[in-house]
Amino acid sequence: MGDAAEKPLGDSYELFLGPAFPGLGNFAVKLRMDGERILSAKADPGYLHRGFEKLMEYRLPIQNAVLSDRICILEALAWNLIHAEAVEELMGVEPPERAKYIRVIMAELSRIQSHIIWYGVLSVGIGFDTGFKLAFGYRDYILDLFEMTTGGRVYPAGYICPGGVRQDLPSGVVKRIPEVLRKMEEMVDLEEVDNPIIPSRLEDVGVLSLEDAIRLGATGPVLRASGMKTDVRKEEPYEVYDRFEFEVPVRQEGDGYARYLVGIEEIKQSIRIVKQALREMPEGDFIAREFRKPKLNVRLPEGEVYVRNEIGRGEAGLYLVSNGGTSPYRVKIRGPSFLHMIPVLEHLLKGAQIADVPAIYWSLNICPADLDR
Amino acid sequence: MNAEERVIGAFTSRFGATGQVQRRGRVWLTVEKDRLLDVCRFAKEEMGFVHLSSLSVTDWVEDGEYELTYHLWSYEEKILLTVKTRIERDKPEIPSLVSLWGENAQAHEREMHEMFGVDYIGNPDLSPLFLEEWDGPPPFRKDFDWREYVRSEYYDVENPRERVYFGGD
């Protein structure tokens, strides 16, 4: 609001985008414009602020597992997993082997569907509506698997809970995953079709140099597209990621097209991981003995943990502090979009053309929900 | 001596910090608030902790202190270094890390200022980030009970904004 009151810079004007603008998600950005060129951009988040960190201080881990779904709509299972890992590390509980494989399968399926949405929204951002429809059609195959496993298509309601997972993977799902993966390979083929729209709208748009990417705190596919080979799954393997073979795609260009290509390659690698996990998944329990019967008055031991995971959008973290009570004393959620949407987006929009705003915005693979929390 | 112990050793000899290794890749370091900026500069420029992953505030209301935590990641060592320091709750002031991490630290500190009221000295813009038209106390403080707040402010109280929807004068 303060910016609007500033005296105008020559002929420049201020343009508000969002937060209820369909092309930009639930997020606003204020642009100072000179004709069609952006002089400066100021992110204005808060539309989806729900205060999860405070809410979690009032609730038990068994409730927080359900609440953790809501941190990001598009990657609910990944956030379930982070919350569960943080509680387990604090309590010193080790989930059974089978649970770890199920978690990896669900987390990777979640990454695939999230990356497919990324392709869809990026397509719509550059005026390629067919891509959007393809993406949301193919994503539904994975949502069917989620529904069969967790009962919810989008929100799994704490399926990945402290101690393991709430239900074993149904045999129907195990049979169906290979079919769905074939569909996903089909989707990747469609994404890789020689389509002149995509490079012509994304090449040299929103170029993020490696130096800027590190300084601004970019992670995940955004950082990899700027030339840094990094992946939390490789650097500090959680669950059973160290047992699988997969590549970490890297591009040097740092533009929107590089991020797009990294995204496609990551879908392929996730398909590889799911196949290996499905092949090697052992029999056994799916939840640790201590958690088999849900107990309400479980005390969290005094201490603090910081858990990092690689989710589709980048590095996700959860800082959990306990003073020995049944609820956490303090929770800090580190969503990858916080830095992608404030410093990185502001940096990339400066000097860009107004027509490139959706392309830059969506090429960062962002989720306003995990920014606002 | 493994990499984690080497990291702690570097900070204890230079800054008199105390540290502990929680597990592989997790180092916790406690420093005095006056040394925070020097410790972070040394961590970033000499030790390779270039990525400011997150920063957080914990309100230890019974001790009358805020605990500030800075989570730094080193891509080379593959270690997460958490630098912790405590400041008084009545006078929550701490030097800003904007000189080291630029807009990254700026955005994080802006959020923490809004939620806890910590003043980051040297941060150019601590305007509200998420909350709109909020004039109450910083809401993530432990002594702010939002349930009580909602009860007193919104239950059985006429909301002037709702007149737009429900008529009235």
Side-chain angles (χ1 to χ4, degrees), chain A residues 87-356:
Chain A
V87 174
E88 281 160 10
E89 194 179 330
L90 203 57
M91 297 183 74
V93 176
E94 186 75 10
E97 281 289 286
R98 187 176 171 85
K100 291 184 184 173
Y101 277 83
I102 296 176
R103 285 171 169 199
V104 167
I105 291 171
M106 298 315 276
E108 291 307 314
L109 288 175
S110 170
R111 186 189 319 275
I112 295 171
Q113 60 90 22
S114 146
H115 273 37
I116 287 176
I117 295 178
W118 181 17
Y119 170 78
V121 290
L122 182 58
S123 301
V124 90
I126 60 177
F128 176 50
D129 280 7
T130 314
F132 178 79
K133 287 166 180 107
L134 278 177
F136 277 74
Y138 274 92
R139 173 187 179 233
D140 256 35
Y141 291 111
I142 289 185
L143 297 191
D144 288 345
L145 293 180
F146 287 171
E147 188 179 7
M148 288 164 80
T149 314
T150 70
R153 293 178 75 76
V154 176
Y155 291 125
Y159 172 71
I160 299 176
C161 58
V165 293
R166 266 195 297 117
Q167 294 278 338
D168 203 355
L169 210 54
S171 57
V173 172
V174 177
K175 272 200 222 92
R176 192 147 167 199
I177 288 176
E179 284 170 41
V180 173
L181 291 181
R182 266 196 296 284
K183 283 286 179 194
M184 292 307 123
E185 281 160 359
E186 206 177 295
M187 176 69 204
V188 172
D189 289 343
L190 287 168
E191 287 186 36
E192 284 184 323
V193 164
D194 192 12
N195 180 349
I197 300 175
I198 290 166
S200 62
R201 287 291 279 108
L202 289 176
E203 264 173 352
D204 295 327
V205 169
V207 181
L208 184 66
S209 70
L210 180 57
E211 195 187 316
D212 287 337
I214 293 173
R215 181 172 55 88
L216 300 172
T219 51
V222 178
L223 185 55
R224 289 195 277 278
S226 292
M228 172 79 109
K229 189 165 182 150
T230 168
D231 190 316
V232 182
R233 293 172 292 174
K234 289 274 191 199
E235 286 171 352
E236 30 170 33
Y238 50 94
E239 302 304 328
V240 286
Y241 276 109
D242 46 350
R243 300 183 196 169
F244 305 125
E245 277 178 28
F246 62 99
E247 305 291 323
V248 178
V250 181
R251 308 281 305 184
Q252 304 299 326
E253 300 87 349
D255 58 358
Y257 193 52
R259 292 193 276 277
Y260 167 83
L261 293 175
V262 165
I264 294 182
E265 190 56 35
E266 284 186 27
I267 298 179
K268 290 188 205 164
Q269 298 303 330
S270 290
I271 294 173
R272 264 178 86 185
I273 297 174
V274 177
K275 280 181 180 165
Q276 293 172 55
L278 209 54
R279 200 168 51 230
E280 295 163 16
M281 185 164 66
E283 292 296 318
D285 274 348
F286 55 86
I287 191 160
R289 186 181 297 272
E290 302 92 307
F291 286 93
R292 199 170 298 157
K293 283 200 184 122
K295 288 190 213 98
L296 291 177
N297 57 347
V298 182
R299 292 207 171 271
L300 289 166
E302 204 175 320
E304 51 195 336
V305 291
Y306 190 80
V307 175
R308 293 167 80 236
N309 271 12
E310 183 80 21
I311 66 171
R313 299 181 156 66
E315 175 202 357
L318 198 106
Y319 175 56
L320 196 69
V321 183
S322 169
N323 64 348
T326 50
S327 302
Y329 189 75
R330 163 83 172 130
V331 181
K332 162 80 192 187
I333 297 159
R334 188 252 189 244
S337 303
F338 183 80
L339 295 173
H340 289 166
M341 293 178 81
I342 302 174
V344 174
L345 185 70
E346 284 175 359
H347 172 76
L348 292 183
L349 287 182
K350 197 181 282 180
Q353 296 291 316
I354 181 74
D356 287 337

Side-chain angles (χ1 to χ4, degrees), chain A residues 214-219 232 236 306-309 314-319 332-339 373, chain B residues 26 49-56 69-75 79-82 101 104-105 108 111:
Chain A
I214 293 173
R215 181 172 55 88
L216 300 172
T219 51
V232 182
E236 30 170 33
Y306 190 80
V307 175
R308 293 167 80 236
N309 271 12
E315 175 202 357
L318 198 106
Y319 175 56
K332 162 80 192 187
I333 297 159
R334 188 252 189 244
S337 303
F338 183 80
L339 295 173
R373 304 182 301 272
Chain B
R26 286 286 180 282
F49 290 92
V50 292
H51 175 51
L52 174 64
S53 173
S54 175
L55 64 87
S56 168
T69 50
Y70 298 80
H71 306 281
L72 315 175
W73 175 255
S74 162
Y75 288 107
I79 289 175
L80 186 97
L81 172 73
T82 302
W101 276 283
N104 176 350
H108 274 123
E111 185 198 342

